[in-house]
Amino acid sequence: MLDTPNSGTLMRLALYHFIGLCLLLIGVTQSVAAECTKVRLSGPPVWPPYVNGEEIGSERSGVAIELVDRVFSELGIPREIDDAKPWARVVSDLENGEIDIVFALLSSPSRREKFIFTESWLDDYYAVVTYKGKEFPYNRIEDLKTRRGVVYHGINLPTPLRKAQTEDYDLLELPDIPSLYKMLRLGRADYIITSPLTFKKLMPEDYAWSDFSVLEPSVVRIPLYMAMSKKSLCTAILDQLNEKLLMHGKQLKTESYSQIFSN
């Protein structure tokens, strides 16, 4: 004679199945909630040609913006780019998880402790720039010690150019961009340390790039990255994101923006 479960056993079995189903549904719900269904991005208020300075209310543009559009369109993830805001707030929002990704960022040890960096998608470069006809010999950063230079206020220069921001050098930080060009033209400064690509894009109309010279031995190339918040739900797409960045970064440099990066 076969044993059959009594009503108490059947009730316990039904309860176990019910609990198991609930746990399964909770797991599925959490999995769906944890997916990167939309990505929130921000970046520098202005960093041409990567991020152009736009009027308030206008849509942001530049190499980094086009890269974002291409990459997330292919990934099939809706993207939201916020309006330009102070850089300190952008960094704070990334750390707090208010935004998922900053689309144009330089690397540093302190930043790598706070954020998840992608692969580099393009290079910028910094250099010593002089007015045409006012070039001088340059072999190392110490050659600037006897000369006066200018730099945009608050900029973080890469090594070894950063050494010029120490007290051993006569380097003025100016918050007014047109004054940087004027100081060189009038001979009040011997050089500016800048990104030549940005320098060209921000140049006032009464100047021409042919008015200036880049001291080639001073050139320092620095990679650009995107950085993700450690609190973002989109960290799981990092490998896919890197693959798209490497492909489209090269395409933008050789196709849409070849004229900018070849000069």
Side-chain angles (χ1 to χ4, degrees):
M1 183 174 179
L2 295 174
D3 291 332
T4 57
N6 57 35
S7 59
T9 302
L10 289 173
M11 290 183 64
R12 284 195 297 272
L13 288 173
L15 181 60
Y16 294 153
H17 284 301
F18 177 74
I19 293 173
L21 179 61
C22 289
L23 291 174
L24 178 62
L25 290 174
I26 290 172
V28 170
T29 302
Q30 289 177 335
S31 175
V32 171
E35 290 179 357
C36 180
T37 56
K38 184 177 183 179
V39 63
R40 301 158 301 170
L41 301 106
S42 189
V46 57
W47 186 2
Y50 313 102
V51 185
N52 295 326
E54 314 292 352
E55 293 187 11
I56 296 175
S58 63
E59 191 167 343
R60 305 187 77 181
S61 66
V63 182
I65 310 302
E66 185 169 345
L67 179 67
V68 165
D69 288 342
R70 290 191 184 191
V71 166
F72 288 100
S73 175
E74 288 197 6
L75 290 174
I77 302 174
R79 59 80 169 167
E80 177 184 311
I81 299 179
D82 64 10
D83 294 333
K85 56 191 178 186
W87 179 240
R89 184 180 167 192
V90 173
V91 175
S92 175
D93 285 352
L94 183 67
E95 189 171 1
N96 295 333
E98 296 295 322
I99 55 176
D100 298 298
I101 295 175
V102 163
F103 46 68
L105 191 69
L106 300 181
S107 173
S108 72
S110 61
R111 286 176 176 173
R112 285 193 174 272
E113 289 180 0
K114 297 179 181 179
F115 312 127
I116 300 171
F117 275 71
T118 66
E119 297 288 343
S120 169
W121 53 269
L122 211 58
D123 282 349
D124 194 8
Y125 71 103
Y126 279 73
V128 176
V129 176
T130 70
Y131 202 68
K132 186 65 66 71
K134 301 290 183 66
E135 298 90 345
F136 53 85
Y138 181 97
N139 294 297
R140 55 186 188 141
I141 190 67
E142 284 75 16
D143 291 333
L144 301 179
K145 279 189 174 182
T146 59
R147 303 180 184 277
R148 165 166 286 188
V150 289
V151 68
Y152 185 64
H153 176 71
I155 196 168
N156 289 317
L157 297 174
T159 304
L161 297 175
R162 184 179 303 147
K163 194 172 183 179
Q165 293 177 299
T166 63
E167 62 183 13
D168 293 333
Y169 294 79
D170 185 7
L171 185 68
L172 302 177
E173 292 196 6
L174 302 178
D176 177 42
I177 289 177
S179 295
L180 298 170
Y181 303 85
K182 187 176 181 180
M183 291 280 284
L184 290 183
R185 183 159 69 180
L186 296 180
R188 294 176 183 171
D190 300 304
Y191 67 89
I192 178 175
I193 303 179
T194 183
S195 161
L197 296 176
T198 302
F199 188 76
K200 286 188 285 184
K201 291 289 288 184
L202 295 178
M203 188 173 295
E205 291 183 359
D206 54 338
Y207 291 84
W209 176 238
S210 57
D211 295 335
F212 301 91
S213 294
V214 175
L215 301 186
E216 292 296 335
S218 70
V219 170
V220 177
R221 296 201 170 273
I222 46 177
L224 301 184
Y225 302 88
M226 289 189 184
M228 305 179 74
S229 172
K230 291 184 177 181
K231 297 182 180 180
S232 171
L233 296 178
C234 295
T235 56
I237 68 165
L238 182 61
D239 290 341
Q240 297 168 277
L241 178 59
N242 280 330
E243 181 182 348
K244 298 297 184 183
L245 289 177
L246 292 173
M247 177 177 68
H248 287 292
K250 291 178 181 178
Q251 288 180 350
L252 286 171
K253 184 175 180 179
T254 57
E255 295 171 8
S256 302
Y257 297 91
S258 60
Q259 185 174 3
I260 293 175
F261 289 100
S262 61
N263 293 331

